[in-house]
Amino acid sequence: MSAATHETEHHTSLGLDNRKLLMWIFLASECLFFGSLLSTYLIFKGESLSGPGTDIFAFEITSISTFVLLMSSLSMVLAVYGAQHGQLGLMKLMLLCTILLGLVFLGFQVYEFKTFASEGLTLSTNQFGASFFVLTGFHGCHVGGGVIYLGSLLIASVRRNGIGKETPLYIDIGGLYWHFVDIVWIVLFTVVYLIPAY
Amino acid sequence: MAEMDAVHDAHDEHPTTTIREYLLIGLALSVITAIELVMSLYDDALGAILIPGLLIFSAIKFIIVVAMFMHLKFDSIRFTQIFTFGFVLAAALLTAVVVLFAFDASDAIGGGFIGDPIEHHD
Amino acid sequence: MATATDGVGAVQTEQSKVWEWLTTVDHKKIGAMYGITGFTYFLISGLTALAIRTQLAVPNGNVLSAELYNQFFTMHALMMIFLAIMPMGASFFNFFIPLQIGARDVAFPRLNALSYWVFLSGSLILFSSFFLGGAPDAGWFAYAPLTDSQYSVGPGLDFYCVGLIILGLSSLMASLNFAVTILNMRAPGMTMMRLPVYMWMTLVVSFLLILSLPIVTVALVLLYFDRNFTTNFFTPETGGDPILWQHLFWLFGHPEVYVLILPSMGIVSEVIPVFSRKPLFGYSAIVFAGASIGVLGFGVWAHHMFTTGLGTVPTLVFTATTMGIGVPTGVKIFNWLSTMYGGSIRFTTSMYFAVAFIAMFTIGGISGVMHASPAVDSQHQDTYFVVAHIHYVLFGGAIMGIFSGIFYWWPKMTGRFLSETIGKWSFWVMFAGMNLTFFPMHFLGVSGMPRRIYTYDEGFGWDDWNMVATIGSYLIGVGVLIFLVNVFRTMRQPATAPDNPWDGPTLEWATSSPPPEHDFDVIPEVHSSIPLWTNREMGIATPEAPEGLHIHLPPPSYMPLILAIGIGLLGVGLLSHLALVGIGVAIAIYGIWGWAIEPTD
């Protein structure tokens, strides 16, 4: 993948793997992305001139999808555990669980978006609609991207040669991305759904 | 500032978290989420401590996932430094922007930084 | 002698030369592509500047219509910033990061190639707007609500959003790559505090981009949504707020100007010690100054918004931070001067540009500190005074720094020397032209000439200085032409430059000019931030390469090109037919999958 990590045990200045370092720096960058979307949401909170507000939330239902995403983080960390301890069966099973739980989360989100649309809240309805859909929509896109990412890892791991001897690293890095998407949701769920409108 | 360490597996340096421990952490996260849900259902009773309370619980969940699931507690300090920098910067900048929108010149008595442009001769 | 294999066949035919460049993952070739592309856009943007100045030479000019003028000044800035200065910076980063840190390539060679091809895609999308319905015409900062679809009816601002998002993606990928490379692939003995100052500046710039690009990406997405999906983030009629755009834009925009200047500061920090034959004065101070400019650069953005009614306290806070950020810059200037003091100065063309940088950037910095005062800024805002400031720091600063680097590193990159005589002519003509163009703009500004006007009437007292500025701009053009003559003449010569013609202290001078494909036969020991000088003093010789040394290099790949085409099509689809988005995504997925499974040995 790169000249430096071609040889095994290749010396790096910080003693870290290049690819893992890349993912962590990328996640730092993603904090700024979601932070900007979140601040846009907060700036427009209470500023809508008409149309539905946060009373449209059914956060009991969203709590279920939040729980699903949290559990997907659990299955993800178990997948990493499996990869690191050579238990590839556990790894593949847990990867599959994570993907399925992620898809359930997305399903809930699609259902929620459609429900809101039928109740009169769309992108163009008001500031709340615009900022809500863009914020949670982009989070959903990241979950979707994560599902594809983990799906690729799973498919690659069931091929004859698997992912290779760096499997623990690749699953670990995939896990970092997935957990990040989860912690973004932790923040979003609280700030958007649980904290009431003022 | 740079360590000339050979590549090593950070996981060798502490006893690996067991499956049981991960499951317990998952349970803790679920319980905290349930508490948050209950808190927001009783928002009137909680009054002013609702929002700080919710934020604190979310912060706890956030830290648990980052430290234990993302392994920052056991990995190189560099990862923690990098991620913390990005996170703190994001929190600071975006808090600043939200605050700037909450209080701007139109709120200040007398017209904000320009001052009252019309001289009143009473 | 060391050999390198890359897994590809040996015979070079004319046709495979093209394929070699399309599939290269060699940082030096990628650097060359960035440099040529960037300099080409620099020339094109220079032409827009000449058109603008011709239009403004006399009152009531009729060279450009108002509509075309707006496109020209908008694209002049966009092209200079995103298609010229940043790529030329990327060119040097690409070429010299591995060489200066003693590595043999960047951390992710294919990602490196991808960032170039995505840059090319994004630049073509943005530039093509001129011919596909009109370039963006609302200023490079694209303030809302002018940019909303009801006021900016043509597709120009959509090209702006899509083009900049793609360009931002390219910069993000490159920055991630460079950050990992510098942090993690340094030669043994090269601690962080032994990094060349240019490397430190590159690292700070990479983090500035990594942390600020996401914010402008959000801004551009929100603008695209406002224009195309009937949201109202920035339009007041339905509850939106144009000031939100300004905040999101400048949260990126201000770190961006440090992205533009820090590389040139790094180049100057390399050039001045070499041509003063004296180590850089206060290495640690310059490094910490550069890092603090990076961090503080996130705390000053609203000084672009002093006239928007922020409120007394916020205005004061931003005044303080803005004035504060002048301090580390001042530290650097004193350190550069102290390096020269007592040194044995060689006045090469590169040194001329570096010294001019110090002077011109100081002037630009002074005008900058002036409008750090909100009271003064309320007079400067939106006048030519700001245009003067911008061009002193960006032309007098960033561009002159780049030219200094070009003359300094040309022998290393090409094995040939740019002519010093012609070089000095081009320097003096550009220097005179630059000052003639931009110094009068201070006067124009304080006498009230607004920015972004396509013409002005007689009787305001602006006629003479505008004429002077226009003459100056043509002089700049002549200076650049002289430089081009220099380049063409030079490239006809044989490549005979020695390894270290200037007696530089950093590792790039410890290999041939140009370097072999594998960069170094043997990487020298590093005991200081000036390893070659230290090694000479301490009598440490770099050993000869062992016989039959075999260095494995990553093989070329066409997946970066494929993925970039996919991303480009995706962008084009967002500007035309959504079906293209699907095709673009499909091609991108093919590119990613091919990337993931292709062998890297």
Side-chain angles (χ1 to χ4, degrees):
Chain A
M1 193 139 167
S2 67
T5 56
H6 166 70
E7 295 89 13
T8 53
E9 296 300 322
H10 187 91
H11 174 93
T12 62
S13 312
L14 296 180
L16 307 171
D17 182 270
N18 282 346
R19 291 155 289 187
K20 192 161 171 178
L21 184 58
L22 181 74
M23 179 55 83
W24 273 112
I25 301 178
F26 174 67
L27 294 181
S29 160
E30 288 268 77
C31 289
L32 274 303
F33 182 78
F34 281 106
S36 305
L37 287 172
L38 185 58
S39 74
T40 301
Y41 175 82
L42 289 174
I43 283 163
F44 287 126
K45 204 169 162 80
E47 299 288 324
S48 294
L49 300 176
S50 64
T54 55
D55 40 287
I56 203 175
F57 285 147
F59 58 72
E60 298 85 355
I61 298 187
T62 320
S63 310
I64 300 175
S65 65
T66 302
F67 176 73
V68 163
L69 200 62
L70 266 179
M71 289 303 104
S72 78
S73 246
L74 178 61
S75 60
M76 185 70 231
V77 80
L78 292 175
V80 174
Y81 180 94
Q84 285 167 347
H85 288 80
Q87 300 174 23
L88 293 185
L90 176 67
M91 174 192 89
K92 292 175 206 171
L93 178 64
M94 288 297 112
L95 269 180
L96 183 62
C97 280
T98 308
I99 293 166
L100 291 175
L101 289 169
L103 286 170
V104 169
F105 176 86
L106 284 174
F108 267 92
Q109 196 159 44
V110 169
Y111 169 75
E112 181 186 56
F113 281 16
K114 284 179 131 159
T115 309
F116 286 179
S118 68
E119 290 172 358
L121 184 71
T122 62
L123 267 177
S124 48
T125 308
N126 56 15
Q127 300 311 104
F128 169 65
S131 55
F132 169 80
F133 283 115
V134 169
L135 172 61
T136 54
F138 269 100
H139 175 263
C141 289
H142 278 74
V143 174
V147 163
I148 295 175
Y149 181 9
L150 295 181
S152 314
L153 286 174
L154 182 59
I155 292 174
S157 70
V158 299
R159 286 160 87 221
R160 191 164 17 106
N161 295 323
I163 307 176
K165 58 181 170 340
E166 293 194 289
T167 302
L169 179 73
Y170 286 125
I171 307 295
D172 187 8
I173 294 174
L176 289 176
Y177 176 83
W178 190 261
H179 293 306
F180 180 77
V181 165
D182 186 28
I183 61 179
V184 170
W185 186 253
I186 289 173
V187 175
L188 289 192
F189 179 60
T190 304
V191 173
V192 173
Y193 289 89
L194 295 184
I195 291 180
Y198 45 79
Chain B
M1 207 161 153
E3 295 82 45
M4 296 287 118
D5 313 320
V7 172
H8 62 274
D9 185 346
H11 301 289
D12 295 335
E13 305 211 326
H14 79 98
T16 336
T17 319
T18 63
I19 293 184
R20 187 171 166 275
E21 284 166 344
Y22 281 131
L23 290 171
L24 284 173
I25 294 171
L27 184 63
L29 290 170
S30 311
V31 165
I32 296 175
T33 309
I35 294 175
E36 287 177 318
L37 183 58
V38 167
M39 282 175 72
S40 61
L41 285 169
Y42 289 98
D43 53 345
D44 299 320
L46 288 165
I49 61 165
L50 174 67
I51 292 179
L54 285 173
L55 291 174
I56 289 172
F57 276 121
S58 292
I60 293 173
K61 282 198 299 191
F62 187 100
I63 292 171
I64 290 176
V65 174
V66 171
M68 309 302 287
F69 282 1
M70 293 171 89
H71 240 252
L72 269 191
K73 185 169 176 232
F74 309 109
D75 270 339
S76 165
I77 188 100
R78 300 294 171 206
F79 295 141
T80 306
Q81 289 170 338
I82 288 169
F83 184 73
T84 306
F85 190 85
F87 179 77
V88 167
L89 185 69
L93 287 182
L94 302 155
T95 306
V97 176
V98 173
V99 166
L100 283 168
F101 269 87
F103 307 99
D104 65 17
S106 56
D107 297 308
I109 300 165
F113 97 90
I114 296 172
D116 193 337
I118 302 163
E119 297 205 331
H120 296 284
H121 302 285
D122 296 325
Chain C
M1 198 56 212
T3 58
T5 61
D6 57 7
V8 175
V11 178
Q12 291 278 303
T13 63
E14 271 310 304
Q15 197 178 31
S16 75
K17 211 59 177 143
V18 174
W19 190 245
E20 180 192 321
W21 284 83
L22 290 177
T23 60
T24 186
V25 295
D26 174 7
H27 67 99
K28 300 182 287 300
K29 289 209 176 68
I30 294 171
M33 291 195 284
Y34 263 115
I36 295 170
T37 314
F39 199 82
T40 306
Y41 279 117
F42 173 69
L43 295 174
I44 296 175
S45 187
L47 291 176
T48 60
L50 290 180
I52 289 169
R53 283 312 325 163
T54 310
Q55 165 66 11
L56 293 176
V58 294
N60 299 307
N62 51 15
V63 169
L64 295 172
S65 66
E67 289 75 22
L68 209 53
Y69 183 87
N70 292 347
Q71 293 177 35
F72 269 53
F73 80 72
T74 301
M75 287 296 280
H76 168 73
L78 287 171
M79 286 196 284
M80 280 301 184
I81 291 170
F82 295 107
L83 306 189
I85 297 183
M86 286 176 78
M88 288 197 281
S91 169
F92 284 138
F93 293 162
N94 256 289
F95 207 99
F96 289 104
I97 290 175
L99 290 172
Q100 283 203 333
I101 65 173
R104 291 212 163 89
D105 206 325
V106 293
F108 303 103
R110 287 176 297 176
L111 187 66
N112 202 16
L114 180 67
S115 41
Y116 172 74
W117 294 115
V118 173
F119 154 69
L120 188 65
S121 271
S123 74
L124 290 172
I125 289 177
L126 185 62
F127 187 71
S128 68
S129 61
F130 270 124
F131 314 106
L132 295 175
D137 58 355
W140 84 280
F141 42 82
Y143 277 3
L146 175 63
T147 49
D148 189 45
S149 43
Q150 69 177 128
Y151 302 114
S152 289
V153 174
L157 267 308
D158 293 306
F159 276 93
Y160 176 86
C161 292
V162 172
L164 287 187
I165 289 176
I166 293 178
L167 288 168
L169 202 65
S170 158
S171 284
L172 180 66
M173 292 189 281
S175 300
L176 288 168
N177 211 346
F178 297 150
V180 171
T181 306
I182 294 174
L183 287 173
N184 219 21
M185 290 176 67
R186 290 164 276 135
M190 187 173 284
T191 60
M192 291 299 288
M193 293 310 276
R194 289 181 186 164
L195 274 175
V197 173
Y198 185 60
M199 288 296 99
W200 264 109
M201 297 303 105
T202 307
L203 185 63
V204 173
V205 161
S206 300
F207 272 99
L208 281 173
L209 284 168
I210 288 166
L211 297 170
S212 65
L213 281 169
I215 305 175
V216 76
T217 306
V218 167
L220 292 165
V221 165
L222 299 184
L223 179 60
Y224 186 84
F225 270 63
D226 265 13
R227 288 178 56 81
N228 293 284
F229 299 134
T230 61
T231 52
N232 288 290
F233 291 106
F234 306 126
T235 47
E237 297 87 54
T238 47
D241 197 331
I243 302 295
L244 177 61
W245 167 268
Q246 292 195 30
H247 278 292
L248 291 176
F249 182 82
W250 287 117
L251 272 165
F252 156 77
H254 196 84
E256 169 66 11
V257 312
Y258 294 116
V259 165
L260 297 174
I261 198 62
L262 284 175
S264 289
M265 288 184 163
I267 292 175
V268 162
S269 305
E270 300 286 311
V271 166
I272 289 191
V274 169
F275 295 116
S276 307
R277 279 184 263 240
K278 198 161 156 269
L280 186 66
F281 183 91
Y283 171 89
S284 312
I286 289 202
V287 165
F288 281 113
S292 39
I293 289 173
V295 174
L296 290 174
F298 277 103
V300 302
W301 81 92
H303 66 222
H304 299 271
M305 300 167 62
F306 276 154
T307 53
T308 61
L310 294 167
T312 315
V313 171
T315 305
L316 286 174
V317 168
F318 283 103
T319 304
T321 55
T322 306
M323 291 186 177
I325 206 168
V327 173
T329 309
V331 165
K332 291 187 162 196
I333 293 188
F334 282 116
N335 280 19
W336 291 321
L337 293 175
S338 306
T339 305
M340 291 174 64
Y341 182 80
S344 167
I345 316 268
R346 288 177 288 166
F347 282 106
T348 57
T349 311
S350 175
M351 188 60 165
Y352 275 35
F353 276 109
V355 173
F357 170 99
I358 299 175
M360 299 296 100
F361 186 77
T362 301
I363 295 176
I366 291 175
S367 58
V369 172
M370 287 169 75
H371 40 248
S373 156
V376 178
D377 184 63
S378 62
Q379 181 150 5
H380 289 175
Q381 174 74 3
D382 280 337
T383 69
Y384 262 77
F385 197 93
V386 182
V387 180
H389 162 70
I390 293 170
H391 288 89
Y392 264 89
V393 292
L394 286 180
F395 193 109
I399 295 283
M400 290 211 161
I402 289 174
F403 273 108
S404 178
I406 290 176
F407 278 88
Y408 178 57
W409 277 319
W410 198 265
K412 176 55 58 181
M413 294 189 289
T414 66
R416 303 158 174 91
F417 291 91
L418 287 169
S419 156
E420 284 293 310
T421 313
I422 305 180
K424 283 170 184 167
W425 270 100
S426 63
F427 167 78
W428 283 114
V429 174
M430 272 196 261
F431 181 81
M434 189 225 129
N435 282 286
L436 212 56
T437 312
F438 300 116
F439 204 79
M441 291 186 183
H442 294 103
F443 309 136
L444 285 171
V446 294
S447 69
M449 182 173 175
R451 291 172 75 170
R452 309 173 214 125
I453 51 172
Y454 81 105
T455 192
Y456 52 93
D457 215 344
E458 315 168 320
F460 285 104
W462 299 335
D463 307 10
D464 296 340
W465 286 130
N466 266 295
M467 176 56 76
V468 170
T470 301
I471 294 171
S473 68
Y474 276 92
L475 210 52
I476 295 176
V478 169
V480 173
L481 268 175
I482 298 175
F483 171 77
L484 282 174
V485 166
N486 202 347
V487 169
F488 285 119
R489 288 182 54 151
T490 302
M491 293 317 284
R492 293 226 206 95
Q493 293 161 11
T496 56
D499 289 8
N500 197 354
W502 311 121
D503 190 27
T506 42
L507 290 182
E508 76 267 32
W509 303 108
T511 186
S512 61
S513 304
E517 195 175 355
H518 53 280
D519 289 349
F520 294 98
D521 284 342
V522 179
I523 298 171
E525 290 179 34
V526 176
H527 296 284
S528 74
S529 62
I530 39 174
L532 298 190
W533 288 356
T534 304
N535 287 2
R536 185 168 58 204
E537 253 178 58
M538 288 167 47
I540 300 171
T542 302
E544 281 295 309
E547 272 305 312
L549 173 66
H550 180 91
I551 297 163
H552 183 88
L553 291 176
S557 166
Y558 60 86
M559 291 307 162
L561 185 60
I562 299 281
L563 181 49
I565 290 173
I567 293 173
L569 273 177
L570 206 163
V572 170
L574 285 173
L575 295 166
S576 54
H577 302 288
L578 283 179
L580 282 175
V581 172
I583 298 175
V585 169
I587 294 177
I589 290 179
Y590 169 69
I592 297 174
W593 184 252
W595 183 316
I597 62 174
E598 69 183 351
T600 50
D601 32 20

